[in-house]
Amino acid sequence: MDTLTHALSGALLARATQPRDAAPRSLARRIAAGFFACAAPDLDIVCAFFGPASYLENHRAATHSILLLPFWAAIVAWILAKILRQPGGWRALYAVCAMSIGLHIAFDLITGYGTMLLWPLSDWRPGLGVTFVIDLWFSGIIIAGLVGSLVLRKQRIPAVASFTVLLAYLGFQGVLKEKALGVGEAYAREHGLPAAGVRAFPRPASPFNWSVFISDDEAHRFAHINLIRTEPRPYQPGDGFFARIDSPYLPVAQAVWVTRKRFGEAQQDRVREAWDAEPLAFFRWFAELPALEATDARAGCVWFTDLRFLTPGRGDRAFVFGVCREQPGAPWRAYERVGESGRIAVR
C-alpha cells in the first residue's frame, strides 16, 4: 500500500479507537501519533541507498515484522511523545502506535509484493494479492471516514463505519480474486495444463482488473482481464492516464493469452547459466514469476523480470535485473536495468 494511504489509515484507526472522554488536544496528539506511526515502517526505503539488491532483500522485512512490532512501537511512541509533547510520555502513545504499525503490516499483506512477517527468524514473504498497491477506492473509503470524523467531531461512528466498509471491500476483492483464479483454471483445463499453477494479481484503475497467470517450469501463460466488462474499452491518445492503464483489460470472453518462456526461445543454455549465476541469487529469491526479459549479446547481458509487476499501460518496466560479463568464461556481475540500455550495479 502507498505510504500516504497507510498514514491516513493510522489517523482513522486512532479516531476509531479514541477514548470516549478524550480531550480535544489529547485526541489531536493521538491522531497525529496514528498518522506517523502507520507510515513509519516505510522508512525502510533507506535500504535503497545501499543498492537495488539491498532494497529487494530488506524492504518489508525488519520494519514489517510482527516479532519486532513491540520494539518498533516503543521506539516510535518515544520519539512521537517528544515531538508532540505528550504529558503522559511514550506509554500514553504506545497502544495507538502498536495498533497503527500492525495496521500497516496488515495493509501491506493484502498486496502481492510479499511481507516478511517473521523476520529475522524467516524470510517467508506471504502476500494475499487481493489489493493493488495503489487502490483509489480503498484510499477513498479511508478519506471518507476522516471527513465524516471532522463533521462529527465527538463521534467515533464515521471512523468505525469506514473500517467496516473497508473490511467489506476487502472481502469483495477476495471474491473477485477467486473469480479471476477460476478463469485461469478453466483455461488450464481447456488447454491440457493440469500440472500448471494458477495465480491472479490485482491491477490498477478498477477492482475488476486482474492479470491471470498459468505457470509451469518452462513458461508463463497470462492474460489481462476485466471480470465484468462485456466490450473492450479502446484507448485513444489524449484520453488520459487512467484510460490508458485501464484499457488493456479485456472481457474474459475476449482475453488474449500471451506466453512468456522462463528462459526464452534461443540460447537457453546461456540464459540458464545466467539465471543460475551466484550474483543473481537475490533476484531468484525475490521473483515469483521470473521470465527472460531480453538478451544483449554486444554488452554480454541477460535480463530477467518478475511478471507479477507487469502492468500494461505503463511506460516503464519495474524490477528488471540481470547479469553481464565482458567475455565468455568471465565472472558474471549483477545489474538493474534502467530504461532500454542503462544499468546500475546492484551492490
Side-chain angles (χ1 to χ4, degrees), residues 11-23 27 30-31 96 99 141-142 144-165:
L12 187 67
L13 178 65
R15 193 72 165 85
T17 58
Q18 73 182 63
R20 294 186 181 277
D21 57 348
L27 178 58
R30 180 182 179 85
I31 292 173
V96 69
M99 288 190 296
I141 294 169
I142 293 172
L146 289 171
V147 171
S149 295
L150 285 175
V151 175
L152 302 175
R153 294 178 181 271
K154 296 182 179 181
Q155 298 291 329
R156 293 184 296 179
I157 293 176
V160 173
S162 179
F163 273 112
T164 302
V165 174

Side-chain angles (χ1 to χ4, degrees), residues 60-223:
R60 297 196 186 180
T63 60
H64 290 65
S65 169
I66 59 175
L67 302 179
L68 297 182
L69 189 156
F71 169 76
W72 295 123
I75 294 295
V76 172
W78 184 83
I79 293 172
L80 290 176
K82 296 293 185 182
I83 295 174
L84 299 173
R85 298 181 181 179
Q86 172 64 40
W90 68 272
R91 290 180 179 83
L93 297 178
Y94 180 82
V96 69
C97 288
M99 288 190 296
S100 297
I101 293 173
L103 186 64
H104 181 116
I105 296 171
F107 281 175
D108 274 348
L109 185 63
I110 63 177
T111 68
Y113 183 92
T115 303
M116 285 179 263
L117 299 177
L118 303 179
W119 194 95
L121 299 183
S122 172
D123 63 1
W124 175 51
R125 295 179 299 118
L128 298 180
V130 296
T131 307
F132 191 66
V133 67
I134 299 177
D135 187 316
L136 297 182
W137 292 99
F138 192 96
S139 301
I141 294 169
I142 293 172
I143 293 171
L146 289 171
V147 171
S149 295
L150 285 175
V151 175
L152 302 175
R153 294 178 181 271
K154 296 182 179 181
Q155 298 291 329
R156 293 184 296 179
I157 293 176
V160 173
S162 179
F163 273 112
T164 302
V165 174
L166 269 183
L167 289 174
Y169 181 63
L170 288 174
F172 176 63
Q173 289 181 311
V175 171
L176 294 179
K177 179 169 184 175
E178 289 301 314
K179 287 192 173 184
L181 290 171
V183 172
E185 290 164 357
Y187 181 91
R189 286 194 302 271
E190 292 171 5
H191 292 79
L193 301 168
V198 179
R199 304 190 65 182
F201 292 93
R203 291 299 184 242
S206 168
F208 300 103
N209 288 342
W210 292 81
S211 292
V212 182
F213 296 86
I214 297 98
S215 305
D216 56 29
D217 292 338
E218 297 298 325
H220 307 284
R221 299 161 183 84
F222 62 91

